[in-house]
Amino acid sequence: MGNFSSAWKGLLLGFRTFLRWLAPKHPAQVIVAGFVGAIAAGTFLLMLPVAKQGPGGASLLESLFTATSSVCVTGLIVVDTPVFWTPFGQTIIMVLIQIGGFGVMSFGTVLGVLVARRLGLRSRLSAAAETKSTGIGDVRLVLLGVLKISLGTEAVLTLVLTIRFMTGYGYAPGKALWLGVFHSVSSFNNAGFALFSDNLTGFVADPWICLPIAVAVIIGGLGFPVLFELRRQYRRPVLWSMNTKLVLSGSVVLLIAGTAFIVAVEWMNPATLGHLQPGERILAGFFQSAITRTAGFNSIDIGQMHPVSWMGMDILMFIGGGPAGTAGGLKITTFSVLFFILSTEVRSGTAVNIFGKRLSRAVHRQAITVVLLAIALVVVSTMILMLISGFGQEKILFEVVSAFATVGLSTGITAGLPPAGQVILIILMLVGRLGPVTLGSALALRRRPILYEFPKERPLIG
């Protein structure tokens, strides 16, 4: 018995040593490994026969695509969620959305706090990188604050939606509660999964459904650093950080501009807004504007929209929401930085000043690098999908941007893409969710002191 116990302890010790040897050391690597692990676990669970309606289980590609879309809080689908998946499968999707929106490493770290009451250094570093915390010392408070905001917002939205589903549409209390919980989690985490085959088009004229969901999407899309600062300093805007001011001002501008654009282009389109009353058209335009930058819900048929609308929505999706939140895209702050750089250059300024503060030159380079790499990835992916599928450029570009920006809106071609095309979208969703975080962290951590400089010379521009 003693020999068996010694052998077992030795085996466990060797296994732990092997895991430590395999474990990534950089926080960005830990985040990537966490997301990949969550997707793998979700894929396995969705492949179980109990997760799929009818006999047999879902295929590997169907399960992998759905798990990736859930963890990356995208919302793109290759199967009809309420018809294809059982309540067990839908629950797995909802849990994956919650984990992905909260952050895989943040979620694991919070579990460590609740269970072990302590945090290791690696957990602190990973969670700090994922939540954009100012330091590893405040990670525990930040994560618990994130948990409170997430669950609090979802609880309020669940209550509102449950009451509306019961009183307005006659659903039984249990069914209404399930619909409320699922759509509140999907809304706050900017996922866009819905338990209706036509998404939310059946509620296009219902402000009691559309407005609460839009508000939850906007709140989740602001980013947790902004929400924390608003909670502490909501009465003193003068003390807000540059990040908070950029996100709030950018969100307001994009919401108004997006609403005006969609309403103007689609006003007379009978397949989208044209059959609605004027007030309902504005409601649908606002809802789609709020949703387009972050989540994948739709209250009108995206596939029937004018190609000009698709192009405008491509831009909104590509910009996205606030950093360190549940939103996708390259983030409002990144594009705001580029806007102020452009404005300064046009005015022949010497330094980029934003809200009375000078922007670090290192941020200039980081923003330009992230945007150019993202554009290159979108262009290459679009070209590949054009080669391997029979769909036109406009719809493929929309799908590619939607996947990369983890938005989830679709013109209806995702399920019709060949398996290789769906794999490309899977990669885009993962890169889109993790790319800005990991690339931003890597660029920030790779700064080294300059020991020498080369002589300056200016090439001809323009």
Side-chain angles (χ1 to χ4, degrees), residues 64-77 97 191 193 408 429:
L64 176 61
F65 193 99
T66 304
T68 304
S69 184
S70 302
V71 174
C72 296
V73 290
T74 303
L76 284 175
I77 57 174
I97 291 171
F193 277 90
M429 287 188 286

Side-chain angles (χ1 to χ4, degrees), residues 18 22 31 41 83 116 130 133 146 192 214 219 243 246 252 311 314 374 419 457:
F18 177 70
L22 286 179
I31 295 173
V83 174
E130 195 170 52
S133 301
V146 169
I219 292 174
N243 179 77
L246 286 176
V252 171
M311 181 61 68
D314 286 340
E457 185 174 350

Side-chain angles (χ1 to χ4, degrees), residues 234-318:
Y234 70 96
R235 291 183 177 179
R236 294 182 287 181
V238 69
L239 298 180
W240 291 352
S241 66
M242 181 189 296
N243 179 77
T244 296
K245 292 178 180 178
L246 286 176
V247 172
L248 291 179
S249 58
S251 296
V252 171
V253 170
L254 290 174
L255 278 172
I256 295 175
T259 301
F261 173 79
I262 293 174
V263 169
V265 176
E266 298 295 327
W267 186 266
M268 300 301 293
N269 186 347
T272 55
L273 301 183
H275 67 286
L276 301 173
Q277 297 299 318
E280 296 171 349
R281 299 182 195 186
I282 296 175
L283 171 64
F286 170 78
F287 180 82
Q288 213 56 64
S289 173
I291 297 301
T292 297
R293 289 189 301 109
T294 52
F297 293 114
N298 62 283
S299 62
I300 55 179
D301 189 348
I302 303 298
Q304 298 298 319
M305 296 181 78
H306 195 283
V308 172
S309 297
W310 294 340
M311 181 61 68
M313 293 168 73
D314 286 340
I315 297 173
L316 292 175
M317 290 190 295
F318 199 64

